[in-house]
């Protein structure tokens, strides 16, 4: 898009909304593009709730129309569309943009990394947001946490995995650093938009696929072509979505409407995590009892090997850009500080519950 379009976003926001008395008659109409199929439980629900919340909290001064992946831009082009002012907002996952900046991987998930509560603590109160802002500003967007699908499952596979050797030679749908990790285990990882995962499995283009967790996965129906469902999701222990706002538009908003957008995003963190636990609970039971899904655990030697590779991968990631190195150091230090508390609180409590 042109400079004029980009400037109009900022000028329009500042000019139209500076006079609350006439704001309702001149409401801003924003478009929000997503990386998700329409009505996909989890992230698509979050995108719509954020849009609805922005309208409600702004008193109708901002109206947001949500578009599914492919309706305006492809699933993996959300960052670019928002950054170049094709649209005002996007809902996606930051690790879809690691080709532009490797450090953005940290704001969705790192293999063997932070869990959802730990990740929220890091971003919202632990200094992560400032680093995220720095990394994303180069591409013309302002990022926010935009929901969370929780701890992911390890993925769907056509056949059972008996050992680490069984992964070698498989083609797996996976994105982010998890994709690189499985490649080091001997698989070929390819990025497939969520809406295209089932057709890819059905025609044999891939042998397995990881998306998120039962509450979202059930909508895709992957058990029909890949009945083995594996845990743990060590490749993606967190499932943060992100809301991205065009940076020029954001900079031109008055303070109260900046507060509206921020509040709409922050509120979604609590709602999304609560909802996904219910969806996961119900979907897993349905998968097993009705659809014949076969739950499996990854072989322990495979997980141990993946853990070793993950350490090497994280070190390499830190060297891919100055920003990635800065974020990696901060993230790793935070995980080191919060880890002892997680072990003697959440981990210990869960262990005690199973005794």
């Amino acid at each position: 898009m042109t400079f004029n379009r980009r400037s109009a976003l900022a000028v329009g926001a500042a000019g139209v909304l500076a006079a609350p008395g006439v704001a309702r008659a001149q409401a801003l109409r924003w478009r929000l593009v997503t990386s998700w199929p329409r009505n996909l439980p989890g992230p698509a629900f979050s995108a719509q709730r954020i849009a609805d919340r922005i309208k409600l909290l702004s008193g109708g001064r901002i109206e947001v129309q949500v578009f599914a992946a492919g309706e305006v831009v492809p699933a993996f082009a959300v960052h670019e569309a928002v950054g170049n002012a094709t649209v005002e907002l996007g809902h996606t996952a930051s690790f879809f943009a690691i080709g532009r900046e490797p450090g953005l991987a940290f704001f969705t998930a790192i293999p063997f990394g932070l869990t959802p509560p730990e990740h929220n603590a890091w971003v919202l109160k632990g200094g992560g947001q400032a680093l995220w802002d720095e990394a994303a500003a180069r591409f013309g967007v302002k990022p926010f946490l935009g929901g969370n699908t929780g701890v992911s499952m390890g993925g769907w596979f056509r056949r059972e995995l008996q050992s680490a050797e069984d992964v070698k030679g498989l083609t797996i749908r996976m994105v982010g650093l998890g994709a690189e990790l499985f490649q080091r285990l001997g698989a070929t990882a390819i990025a497939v938009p969520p809406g295209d995962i089932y057709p890819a499995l059905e025609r044999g283009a891939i042998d397995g696929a990881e998306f998120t967790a039962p509450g979202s996965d059930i909508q895709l129906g992957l058990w029909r072509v890949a009945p083995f469902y594996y845990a743990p999701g060590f490749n993606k222990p967190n499932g943060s979505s992100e809301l991205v706002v065009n940076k020029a538009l954001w900079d031109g908003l008055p303070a109260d409407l900046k507060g509206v957008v921020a509040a709409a995003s922050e509120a979604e963190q609590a709602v999304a995590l609560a909802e996904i636990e219910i969806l996961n609970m119900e979907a897993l039971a349905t998968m097993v009892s009705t659809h014949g899904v076969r739950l499996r655990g990854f072989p322990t030697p495979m997980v141990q090997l993946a853990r070793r590779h993950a350490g090497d991968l994280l070190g390499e990631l830190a060297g891919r850009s100055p920003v990635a190195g800065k974020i990696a150091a901060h993230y790793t230090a935070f995980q080191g500080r919060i880890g002892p508390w997680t072990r003697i609180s959440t981990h210990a409590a869960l262990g005690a519950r199973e005794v």
Side-chain angles (χ1 to χ4, degrees), residues 179-187 305 309-310 312-313 316 320:
E180 295 190 43
L181 183 58
F182 268 80
Q183 288 180 170
R184 294 178 187 224
L185 293 172
L305 180 60
H309 282 310
D312 296 337
L313 177 59
E316 292 175 20
R320 292 179 187 173

Side-chain angles (χ1 to χ4, degrees), residues 7 9 29 83-84 106 115 120 144 256 268 316-317 354:
S7 300
L9 291 174
R29 289 177 173 81
N84 65 24
F106 289 91
T115 64
N120 283 354
F144 294 93
D256 63 330
E268 187 56 27
E316 292 175 20
L317 177 66
E354 299 300 322

Side-chain angles (χ1 to χ4, degrees), residues 51-260:
D52 293 343
R53 206 174 281 125
I54 287 174
K55 180 178 181 179
L56 177 65
L57 295 178
S58 70
R61 294 160 69 191
I62 304 174
E63 296 181 1
V64 182
Q65 185 176 5
V66 178
F67 295 89
E71 292 182 347
V72 176
V73 298
F76 295 149
V78 170
H79 278 94
E80 290 88 342
V82 176
N84 65 24
T86 299
V87 295
E88 292 80 11
L89 305 173
H91 195 268
T92 183
S94 64
F95 65 7
F96 291 162
I98 60 175
R100 309 180 82 194
E101 169 49 60
L104 290 174
F106 289 91
F107 300 98
T108 302
I110 295 294
F112 299 96
L114 298 174
T115 64
E118 292 173 331
H119 187 84
N120 283 354
W122 176 58
V123 173
L124 296 175
K125 294 295 182 180
Q129 183 69 59
L131 294 168
W132 199 4
D133 289 343
E134 179 182 346
R138 298 165 50 207
F139 307 108
V141 300
K142 162 66 178 171
F144 294 93
L145 291 172
N148 200 309
T149 52
V151 177
S152 292
M153 288 287 285
W156 299 86
F157 292 84
R158 289 180 171 275
R159 60 182 175 84
E160 197 165 3
L161 306 176
Q162 303 285 353
S163 70
E165 291 296 313
D166 290 342
V167 177
K168 294 182 178 179
L170 298 182
T171 300
I172 303 173
R173 184 273 178 189
M174 197 166 286
V175 294
L177 292 187
E180 295 190 43
L181 183 58
F182 268 80
Q183 288 180 170
R184 294 178 187 224
L185 293 172
T188 298
I190 62 174
V192 177
D196 295 333
I197 296 175
Y198 186 93
L201 274 170
E202 186 177 39
R203 67 175 183 267
I206 55 177
D207 303 300
E210 181 273 331
F211 182 47
T212 60
S216 296
D217 287 4
I218 194 170
Q219 186 80 2
L220 303 181
L222 304 182
W223 66 82
R224 299 186 183 99
V225 283
F228 295 99
Y229 199 25
Y230 273 84
F234 57 79
N235 59 296
K236 199 166 75 178
N238 178 60
S240 285
S241 302
E242 69 168 350
L243 175 73
V244 286
V245 185
N246 175 269
K247 185 67 164 57
L249 171 63
W250 173 257
D251 289 343
L253 285 177
D256 63 330
L257 290 182
K258 285 183 176 180
V260 163

Side-chain angles (χ1 to χ4, degrees), residues 153 156 213-215 218 223 229 276-295:
M153 288 287 285
W156 299 86
I218 194 170
W223 66 82
Y229 199 25
I276 202 62
E277 290 299 300
I278 300 295
L279 293 176
N280 286 341
M281 172 186 74
E282 295 173 344
L284 185 63
T286 299
M287 286 175 173
V288 174
S289 65
T290 304
H291 302 309
V293 169
R294 302 178 218 179
L295 295 179

